[in-house]
Amino acid sequence: MAETICRALRDGSLAGEHAPALTIKDSIPSPFGFDAFTHFLCSLSSNICAGKSQSQGIVLIAFTKSPSFYFNLLKSRGIDASSSSKWLRILDCYSDPLGWKDGVSVSSSTGTLCKNVRDLDGLFSSVLQLGKEMVGPSKARFSVAIDSVTVMLRHAALSCVSGLISNLRSHDYVSCVFWLIHSDLHEARTIAVLEYMSSMVASLEPMTVAAKELRSDSESIFSLKQYSRKGKFHLRLKRRNGRVKVLSEEFHVEQAGIKFSVNSLTNDIVSQSLLPKVQFNLQLSEKERSDRENVVLPFEHQEMGKTTEIYDGRRSLSNYATDLSTTSASISEKQHSDANIVGKGEIHYLRDSDDEEMPDSDEDPDDDLDI
């Protein structure tokens, strides 16, 4: 969910924990990762301007766009760009990334120019310097955004890039980090490393077109154009307790930006796909539920005029059924005979043998013992 990502970037990190990290990955079939990146960038900027975010500013590392592009973008989204000098710093790695224009005047009035993107240690120092200048001497935090890790990996090894991101996440001044990468331009190992370092992974997939929705040639072209700007947005969220939550929704790219819409059916399908695969059914049918309710347990009285007995397992079932019917008949006869007797109850004592003393005897039964 896009709103879940916006809240996580807004809330930032807890004391003693690494900053939240977001990986946004797209591919050629659905090349709208930059639209998602700018959506989260503008959302975080709006929260910072409103004082709702943990971070007090953003350090944007720009590899694919000029600083002026981002200022115009914020202005078009209704964010006060005139006050951006208080909460936004742009490290310009786009105008002269390798220092080839030393003899040429390069204008970067709206950002700090970086002329050696291969030196990631110097890049890390520049980010910290810009962030500390922005938030002041207080221990306030700032966010870091990288508009293309793909371009960064052209000039530096994966180990250096992952080390830079790890240092940013573990720094006390950093509130959150998020970046964009084009997954189909890298090896699976590279994507796996970045996803492992992320607490959130957002991926964009194209929307499949059903054949029944394409009726004629002219309508097919129109439908394909419409579907080419739609897709599915999947989010894998790693919680602090170690559990992983997977969410999904649809997106549609418009001229004003990317729009997200919740698809409850897709979330149900994703949730069901996470259930373990078993060879038996855990649900009961209506007939099985009815049969279970009609089962009479041993401790339940049937109220059918019969004595309820529990089979103890020491007799055969045939003998048990015979004894049960005989016992029921004798009890019925006794109840019928007792109904005709009217009087007081009596207790009759029968001695087992003649040697047994009478109950009212005064003799000591242990008198012959020599103690």
Side-chain angles (χ1 to χ4, degrees), residues 184-210:
D184 51 352
L185 299 181
H186 303 278
E187 297 179 354
R189 180 177 66 92
T190 303
I191 304 299
V193 170
L194 294 175
E195 290 183 357
Y196 178 79
M197 300 175 61
S198 306
S199 57
M200 298 175 288
V201 178
S203 58
L204 291 85
E205 296 180 358
M207 181 73 72
T208 56
V209 184

Side-chain angles (χ1 to χ4, degrees), residues 128-143:
L128 294 182
Q129 181 180 356
L130 291 175
K132 292 179 180 179
E133 290 177 357
M134 181 171 47
V135 299
S138 62
K139 294 185 178 180
R141 297 172 180 261
F142 61 90
S143 302

Side-chain angles (χ1 to χ4, degrees), residues 11-24:
D11 296 340
S13 61
L14 297 177
E17 294 187 1
H18 285 183
L22 167 65
T23 295
I24 306 171

